[in-house]
Amino acid sequence: MSAVPPQPPSSTPAHSENSARRPQPLGRDFTLLWGASGSASLADGLVRVALPLVAVELTRSPALVAGVAVTTTLAWIVVGLPAGALGDRLNRRTIALSAALLRTVLLGAVGLLLFTDQLTVGMLFAAAFLLGVGEAFFDTSTPAMVPGLVPKEELSRAHGRRHAVAMAGNELVGPAAGGTLFALSKVAPLLVSTACHALSALMLWRMRAAPDRPREPEAERTALFTEVRQGLVLLVRSRRIAVIALWGGMANFAGSLTFAVLALHLVAPGPVGLDTWGFGLLMASLGLGGLIGALLAGRLAARVGELRLLTLSCALMAADSVALALTTQIWVIAVGLVVGSAAAAVFGVMAITALQRATPDSHLSRVSAGNQLVMMSGTALGGIAAGVLGEATGDLRVGFAVAAVLLLALTSMRAAIPAAPTGGLDPDRVR
């Protein structure tokens, strides 16, 4: 995450000057990338609701339902680092385009199998893993393209827009539409998400050639495994980056304790008793909070400072778990989801902007992939723990309570973050 985080405008003259200037255009290619990311995020939001509901149709086992989400994350852990290394070697647009096409074919196949009543739990697990592979390549390539498409001074604004459209699709519109479509037809959300990934591929194809960026000479290029290691070394060499990355990974662990089994708790015959439409609508409150958080992150950081904001957002992320552990009142749960997702979005926007400012472009995909590996590892382990706790206790609220306590305890990690260094990392020294 952040090696040299942006400081409030009041304490940094450069930022004061930037705040007074007029924003520069982000350009046609960024607009196409933004649209491709938004379309893919909408597809992800539809699938986010559809896959757990399909899993609930096939089995009532908490371990198996949680396992579908964990499998997607495990794919990230397996291929995330090589995907990042390939992103620093190959054309990032081509990688993202290939990933979009892969997910188009996969979701179309799952929809066809479901329509013909041929889909099994094993097939669903296999599809979830391959979708995770596509997501890993797409998500390591597309953010790393942004610094080459927009002026350096507009990097945080560009990432704020990208994060906002991701929240709108993945957390707001997608889940609400997914639940509604699933209520009409189990196949409908899968088919719509197939079309969304196809549209994403089309917009990536329409982008002009990716801008030139510094690359290592062919004679100096090392083996893929060595390049993966270099990315990890860059990630952990700065204690500041390592601590914040670990903080994010542990926060993801806590979040997964809640969200991996959320469908079982919310959808009838679970305690809350929602139908599939209501589940999708309630999940949309996550997107509402995330959209608000993404749009306000920069202003909040300028007012309270980044470290204070990270600490506060970590505490507020416990709101959804607290609500789920204490009540089955829909409006209370919805408020908790809005507050928790807004806090998570604030943390995410600040982290990716600071990470990219501190990382050389020739290593950007690898460092981003290493950071994402930490986050995904936390998510996967949290999902496994959620399934185990659910099976062992028979009460999903135990996992929700553990998640809330852990998030509040994690606020103490601020004390482990050292002062910001005066310079970035030198990739030439990482061998």
Side-chain angles (χ1 to χ4, degrees):
M1 289 195 176
S2 171
V4 187
Q7 299 298 318
S10 60
S11 61
T12 306
H15 282 256
S16 298
E17 294 172 5
N18 287 343
S19 64
R21 62 173 175 78
R22 298 184 64 179
Q24 301 179 51
L26 298 179
R28 172 185 179 274
D29 281 348
F30 173 78
T31 300
L32 287 170
L33 178 65
W34 178 70
S37 298
S39 185
S41 295
L42 177 58
D44 291 341
L46 291 165
V47 171
R48 181 179 182 181
V49 169
L51 285 189
L53 291 176
V54 171
V56 170
E57 290 286 327
L58 299 175
T59 178
R60 294 298 301 180
S61 167
L64 290 177
V65 173
V68 173
V70 170
T71 300
T72 303
T73 305
L74 286 176
W76 236 110
I77 295 173
V78 172
V79 305
L81 291 176
L86 288 172
D88 288 332
R89 280 189 174 197
L90 307 176
N91 185 288
R92 289 166 182 161
R93 185 188 63 162
T94 301
I95 292 174
L97 176 58
S98 300
L101 292 173
L102 171 65
R103 294 199 280 180
T104 300
V105 173
L106 279 172
L107 285 168
V110 172
L112 180 61
L113 288 169
L114 182 61
F115 180 74
T116 58
D117 292 324
Q118 300 297 312
L119 187 66
T120 65
V121 173
M123 291 178 181
L124 190 62
F125 269 73
F129 181 85
L130 292 175
L131 287 170
V133 170
E135 182 180 355
F137 278 92
F138 191 91
D139 287 354
T140 55
S141 298
T142 50
M145 293 167 64
V146 175
L149 298 176
V150 304
K152 183 178 180 181
E153 296 79 8
E154 303 297 338
L155 189 59
S156 60
R157 183 164 69 99
H159 278 303
R161 287 193 176 185
R162 196 181 62 83
H163 202 88
V165 76
M167 288 290 103
N170 198 6
E171 308 278 3
L172 183 59
V173 179
T180 302
L181 290 171
F182 194 90
L184 297 174
S185 169
K186 298 174 185 178
V187 180
L190 298 175
L191 296 182
V192 174
S193 60
T194 299
C196 288
H197 281 304
L199 179 60
S200 177
L202 177 62
M203 284 187 277
L204 289 167
W205 177 74
R206 292 193 61 199
M207 289 178 63
R208 290 186 288 266
D212 293 334
R213 63 182 192 272
R215 290 182 179 274
E216 297 177 355
E218 293 290 336
E220 297 180 10
R221 181 168 290 174
T222 57
L224 184 66
F225 176 80
T226 302
E227 293 187 359
V228 169
R229 182 185 61 82
Q230 290 172 353
L232 287 174
V233 171
L234 272 173
L235 179 68
V236 303
R237 173 159 290 187
S238 166
R239 181 184 171 190
R240 189 180 184 86
I241 293 176
V243 170
I244 297 179
L246 179 61
W247 191 352
M250 294 179 70
N252 272 22
F253 175 89
S256 192
L257 280 174
T258 295
F259 289 98
V261 293
L262 195 57
L264 281 175
H265 185 71
L266 295 178
V267 178
V272 179
L274 295 176
D275 57 20
T276 56
W277 182 86
F279 175 71
L281 189 61
L282 188 60
M283 288 297 93
S285 63
L286 289 170
L288 176 62
L291 184 61
I292 293 170
L295 293 175
L296 296 181
R299 295 180 183 179
L300 291 173
R303 285 179 175 272
V304 304
E306 186 185 62
L307 285 183
R308 286 196 188 97
L309 192 57
L310 287 172
T311 306
L312 178 61
S313 64
C314 184
L316 290 177
M317 279 191 281
D320 45 28
S321 298
V322 170
L324 288 162
L326 295 180
T327 183
T328 57
Q329 292 291 321
I330 300 300
W331 71 270
V332 177
I333 294 174
V335 171
L337 291 173
V338 169
V339 173
S341 61
V346 169
F347 191 103
V349 170
M350 292 293 98
I352 188 63
T353 300
L355 176 68
Q356 291 192 342
R357 290 192 191 280
T359 305
D361 189 77
S362 59
H363 289 65
L364 194 54
S365 290
R366 278 172 280 175
V367 174
S368 297
N371 178 65
Q372 195 73 5
L373 174 64
V374 176
M375 308 292 281
M376 289 293 185
S377 296
T379 300
L381 292 173
I384 293 171
V388 171
L389 280 173
E391 294 280 7
T393 65
D395 189 347
L396 299 178
R397 293 175 299 175
V398 174
F400 303 154
V402 172
V405 172
L406 179 56
L407 284 166
L408 293 174
L410 285 174
T411 58
S412 64
M413 290 193 70
R414 177 183 176 181
I417 300 177
T422 57
L425 297 172
D426 182 2
D428 294 332
R429 299 177 61 186
V430 183
R431 300 293 177 192

